[in-house]
Amino acid sequence: MDKPTLRTIAQATGLAVTTVSRALAGDPRIAARTRAAVAEVAQRLGYVPDRAAQRLRTGRSKVVALLLNTGHEYLGFTHELIAGLMSALNGTGYSVAMLPDLIDEGRDAAVREVLRNRMADGIVFSRTEVFDARVRLLSEHGFPFVSHGRTEFAIPHAFVDYDNEAFARAAARHLVGRGRERLLMIAPQGRFTFGQHLRYGLTAEGRAAGAVVEIPEDIHLDRPPEEIAAWLRRRLMRPDRPDAIICVGEVPAIAASAALGDIGLQAGRDVDLVAKRASPVFEMLRANVFTAFEDLRETGRLIGDTLLRRIAGEPPETLGILQPPVIEFTPDREAARRSG
Amino acid sequence: MDKPTLRTIAQATGLAVTTVSRALAGDPRIAARTRAAVAEVAQRLGYVPDRAAQRLRTGRSKVVALLLNTGHEYLGFTHELIAGLMSALNGTGYSVAMLPDLIDEGRDAAVREVLRNRMADGIVFSRTEVFDARVRLLSEHGFPFVSHGRTEFAIPHAFVDYDNEAFARAAARHLVGRGRERLLMIAPQGRFTFGQHLRYGLTAEGRAAGAVVEIPEDIHLDRPPEEIAAWLRRRLMRPDRPDAIICVGEVPAIAASAALGDIGLQAGRDVDLVAKRASPVFEMLRANVFTAFEDLRETGRLIGDTLLRRIAGEPPETLGILQPPVIEFTPDREAARRSG
DNA sequence: ATGCAAGTTTGCATCGTTACAACTACTCTT
DNA sequence: AAGAGTAGTTGTAACGATGCAAACTTGCAT
């Protein structure tokens, strides 16, 4: 009733351990008849190769490491990404291990650990920075990884990214088209590349259309929603108040919506709200927000596929995916009711 | 520039590999001076033990498997639980690996896989069922695990659970105390133990206080929020409509709030809303909902601690934790404003 | 028969670690 | 002074898989 090993099968079939190993690997040097016989016995005994032994011998762990933000995260961003990643890895024998991404201190610690003890064959991480230390380190070592988000390094590397610049441009066009002139964005921190893309896109497109664009440095997506709401209340009471708010994230959008209500302004009338959404929560809210959907499960899948190809040896030059944004801003229930 | 191994250190110190191994493990049979010397050299060379080799030799993987629901999940439930789990494991050398929890087909598949190839030393899972196949299987094998949620098996096993019955009772008392008489709960599916506890708690306490309690079987937390809202709209238009809705989850609470608004009813006046909350999102909503906070990060931490003790050999009998609920129902911003 | 290649199969070493039994050097006992 | 005891260290053999070189088969031409 012990776990069967190659030796068990070797004894059962009268073959050598090496032969069994090769047979199971489908090595063409082993006669087809032998391979079939071995496969049959292995199947019957319920043989499963020992991962630890394979890993020790080959140096490959069949594990993919995912760096996980340890801070608070309010809507189901992570879950969707992980689910997508797992579905891409499903059936490949790879599993996902999680390591903490200590975002505010030595962000490359987890990466260094993986490089040191080879606990994974590849790495995935989000919230990529413009000159991300992890990207630099991993690229230098030629270690397979996929960043969720681009960098501005000259060296190409594998990435999967949502076209945030296009999203921001579309939002600007949408709002200016509705007659808005003072655009405010609650954006990611500027250290993150996608924060830069969003800033650039909104600023360029907005100004070209003659609008004023405002993007606070200090009030960003990682601030607690209460603080965002409080800041917005103050900001909206000044005479030069924005007439449109773009929120890159669902919770800040809810905060913005609350702030508007608090000071007696109406979304859709006094101020337009635009948000990126990853869950169907907005469909339940009567917040009068225009949203564009970002499919993070699909992103996770693409990341998984890309990483597998990178691990298989494809060069990083050819492994960059820029997901086009859905440029249609769907009004939520309230907006739909109001305008139709 | 090769990775240092025990052999490297042995050569550097002139000791035998075995001695070095023992020294690093802090074995008292090795002289304190030798231990210090070895530690110093290991440190200097940047030695890190090879996990695969340790695992092959000892049979322990230093990995904890987490079964992750692959379905949709709308608010940050998973992220908080994982973050808590990781913080408990932090510094112990254990890492977390994720396996898919295929909730609607062969739920024990992932467990069987772990039992077969010993890819983890312990398992964690949520959404525990009354007679959970995974609990049965793992208990039979004496394999360390912690279930998030209890079962009704006679065999004791390690678990961490939130006292949902107490939550439901408190909610019933709170609502009846406010004069409500017809309580409706949007609950988890009855197959899950916590669904049973919630049903029982609300029914017992509500009926004892003379209220009518209604808990639909078919409209539960895993239904898409739109469907919950649609069902509630229909239900609320019937003459025997509930005057209080208890939502065990944030998204259903938002759906309920939307449904009320759709048909012109006001939360807090016509119908009271109560919800369990795990994120601060409600503080931003003007939904007039009374909430009780469930700290899932803490739950994750407790699960991690418990699992480590179970792996260390503590018997399951002594490893059950029932988290007391926060029985204070905080009104959200709107409710607070309204009531003074 | 002999040689030789192609087609199969085998033994050995190895990955890095730890368990086990054995060995050395030294002190203590009687 | 011989034997027992102890503290400290060592060598060898695993764990289960795989890479490599060598060794068997065959068949077939010489």
Side-chain angles (χ1 to χ4, degrees):
Chain A
M1 219 23 219
D2 277 349
K3 274 185 300 286
T5 72
L6 286 184
R7 169 140 62 240
T8 320
I9 300 177
Q11 277 157 359
T13 53
L15 292 164
V17 174
T18 305
T19 310
V20 175
S21 171
R22 286 234 178 88
L24 290 172
D27 192 310
R29 284 173 298 183
I30 303 299
R33 258 193 30 231
T34 313
R35 280 197 306 235
V38 169
E40 198 275 324
V41 175
Q43 166 76 29
R44 188 160 48 74
L45 298 181
Y47 169 79
V48 181
D50 183 302
R51 289 296 195 78
Q54 288 183 314
R55 181 168 158 186
L56 175 59
R57 186 63 244 251
T58 64
R60 311 196 107 202
S61 58
K62 288 279 189 180
V63 166
V64 162
L66 172 68
L67 305 194
L68 204 73
N69 178 19
T70 53
H72 281 278
E73 192 164 83
Y74 305 118
L75 291 174
F77 176 98
T78 305
H79 182 88
E80 290 294 295
L81 201 76
I82 297 178
L85 182 60
M86 290 203 329
S87 79
L89 265 34
N90 193 22
T92 63
Y94 274 89
S95 59
V96 181
M98 286 177 296
L99 294 177
D101 180 8
L102 305 166
I103 198 146
D104 284 322
E105 26 168 337
R107 219 169 165 205
D108 49 359
V111 163
R112 290 207 134 85
E113 194 182 324
V114 173
L115 286 174
R116 252 215 323 271
N117 65 11
R118 298 277 151 142
M119 62 164 288
D121 297 340
I123 304 189
V124 172
F125 49 84
S126 275
R127 302 169 68 109
T128 306
E129 299 181 22
V130 180
F131 293 106
D132 198 294
R134 302 165 300 176
V135 170
R136 190 200 315 266
L137 202 55
L138 290 166
S139 293
E140 276 170 7
H141 284 77
F143 196 88
F145 72 95
V146 176
S147 61
H148 180 204
R150 284 162 285 173
T151 65
E152 289 179 8
F153 287 123
I155 331 115
H157 60 87
F159 69 84
V160 174
D161 202 358
Y162 175 87
D163 192 343
N164 281 290
E165 183 187 329
F167 163 81
R169 285 183 181 275
R173 280 196 303 274
H174 176 73
L175 291 165
V176 172
R178 285 173 53 86
R180 301 302 179 178
E181 297 178 328
R182 311 186 67 84
L183 316 181
L184 170 71
M185 180 160 73
I186 305 299
Q189 292 178 56
R191 61 195 278 209
F192 302 125
T193 316
F194 78 123
Q196 293 298 326
H197 290 151
L198 287 159
R199 267 154 231 263
Y200 177 72
L202 191 75
T203 308
E205 191 84 19
R207 294 211 175 130
V212 177
V213 174
E214 176 183 355
I215 306 173
E217 265 303 322
D218 204 42
I219 294 298
H220 51 70
L221 297 188
D222 289 324
R223 298 291 292 268
E226 312 87 73
E227 294 182 13
I228 294 176
W231 184 88
L232 277 174
R233 275 194 299 271
R234 287 197 304 276
R235 181 66 192 83
L236 286 164
M237 289 200 296
R238 280 171 35 200
D240 61 337
R241 73 153 190 253
D243 55 12
I245 305 177
I246 299 97
C247 291
V248 186
E250 293 171 313
V251 174
I254 293 174
S257 168
L260 285 177
D262 287 340
I263 59 178
L265 294 176
Q266 212 172 79
R269 191 191 62 191
D270 308 307
V271 176
D272 269 347
L273 287 183
V274 169
K276 215 158 83 168
R277 112 190 99 92
S279 79
V281 173
F282 272 110
E283 280 154 37
M284 290 299 102
L285 293 175
R286 325 185 79 238
N288 205 8
V289 180
F290 288 90
T291 60
F293 176 62
E294 177 174 4
D295 187 346
L296 285 162
R297 193 171 281 241
E298 173 67 9
T299 304
R301 266 210 22 245
L302 290 171
I303 290 177
D305 285 345
T306 306
L307 186 57
L308 288 176
R309 294 166 66 171
R310 187 71 191 80
I311 289 174
E314 283 192 40
E317 289 78 9
T318 61
L319 292 175
I321 297 181
L322 192 56
Q323 292 179 277
V326 176
I327 49 163
E328 174 195 5
F329 289 95
T330 334
D332 65 14
R333 292 161 18 108
E334 179 70 6
R337 204 177 57 108
R338 202 176 290 271
S339 66
Chain B
M1 220 18 222
D2 275 349
K3 274 184 298 287
T5 72
L6 287 183
R7 168 139 64 240
T8 320
I9 301 178
Q11 278 158 359
T13 54
L15 292 164
V17 173
T18 305
T19 309
V20 175
S21 172
R22 285 234 179 88
L24 290 172
D27 191 311
R29 286 174 297 185
I30 303 299
R33 261 195 25 235
T34 313
R35 279 197 307 233
V38 169
E40 199 275 324
V41 174
Q43 168 75 29
R44 186 160 50 73
L45 298 181
Y47 169 78
V48 180
D50 183 301
R51 290 297 196 76
Q54 289 183 315
R55 180 168 161 185
L56 175 59
R57 187 61 245 250
T58 65
R60 312 195 107 202
S61 58
K62 288 278 189 180
V63 166
V64 161
L66 172 67
L67 304 195
L68 204 73
N69 177 19
T70 53
H72 280 279
E73 191 164 85
Y74 304 118
L75 290 174
F77 177 99
T78 305
H79 182 88
E80 290 294 295
L81 201 77
I82 297 178
L85 181 60
M86 291 203 326
S87 78
L89 265 35
N90 193 23
T92 63
Y94 275 88
S95 59
V96 181
M98 285 176 298
L99 294 177
D101 179 9
L102 305 166
I103 199 147
D104 283 323
E105 27 169 334
R107 224 173 158 200
D108 49 0
V111 164
R112 291 208 133 84
E113 194 182 323
V114 174
L115 286 173
R116 251 215 322 272
N117 64 11
R118 298 277 150 142
M119 62 164 289
D121 297 340
I123 304 189
V124 172
F125 49 85
S126 275
R127 302 168 69 107
T128 306
E129 299 181 23
V130 180
F131 294 105
D132 198 293
R134 302 166 299 177
V135 171
R136 191 199 314 268
L137 202 54
L138 290 165
S139 293
E140 277 170 7
H141 285 77
F143 196 88
F145 72 96
V146 176
S147 60
H148 180 204
R150 284 162 285 172
T151 64
E152 289 179 9
F153 287 122
I155 331 115
H157 59 88
F159 69 84
V160 174
D161 203 357
Y162 175 87
D163 191 343
N164 280 290
E165 183 188 329
F167 162 81
R169 284 183 182 274
R173 279 195 303 274
H174 176 75
L175 292 165
V176 172
R178 286 173 51 88
R180 301 302 180 179
E181 297 178 328
R182 311 187 65 85
L183 317 181
L184 170 71
M185 180 161 74
I186 306 299
Q189 293 178 56
R191 59 194 281 210
F192 303 125
T193 316
F194 77 123
Q196 292 299 325
H197 291 151
L198 287 159
R199 267 154 232 261
Y200 177 71
L202 191 75
T203 308
E205 192 83 19
R207 295 213 174 128
V212 177
V213 174
E214 176 182 356
I215 306 172
E217 266 302 322
D218 204 43
I219 294 298
H220 51 70
L221 296 187
D222 288 325
R223 298 289 293 266
E226 312 87 72
E227 294 182 13
I228 294 177
W231 184 86
L232 277 175
R233 276 194 298 273
R234 287 196 305 276
R235 181 66 191 82
L236 286 164
M237 290 200 293
R238 278 170 39 197
D240 61 338
R241 73 152 189 254
D243 54 12
I245 305 177
I246 299 97
C247 291
V248 187
E250 293 172 312
V251 174
I254 294 174
S257 169
L260 285 177
D262 287 340
I263 57 177
L265 294 175
Q266 212 173 76
R269 191 191 61 191
D270 308 307
V271 176
D272 270 348
L273 286 184
V274 168
K276 215 158 80 170
R277 111 189 102 90
S279 79
V281 173
F282 272 108
E283 279 153 38
M284 290 299 103
L285 294 175
R286 325 186 79 238
N288 205 8
V289 180
F290 289 91
T291 60
F293 177 61
E294 177 173 4
D295 187 346
L296 285 162
R297 194 172 281 241
E298 174 66 8
T299 304
R301 265 212 21 246
L302 291 171
I303 290 177
D305 286 344
T306 306
L307 186 58
L308 287 176
R309 295 166 65 171
R310 188 70 191 83
I311 290 174
E314 282 192 40
E317 289 78 9
T318 62
L319 293 174
I321 297 181
L322 191 57
Q323 292 179 276
V326 175
I327 49 162
E328 173 196 7
F329 289 94
T330 335
D332 65 14
R333 290 162 20 108
E334 180 70 6
R337 203 176 57 105
R338 201 175 291 270
S339 64

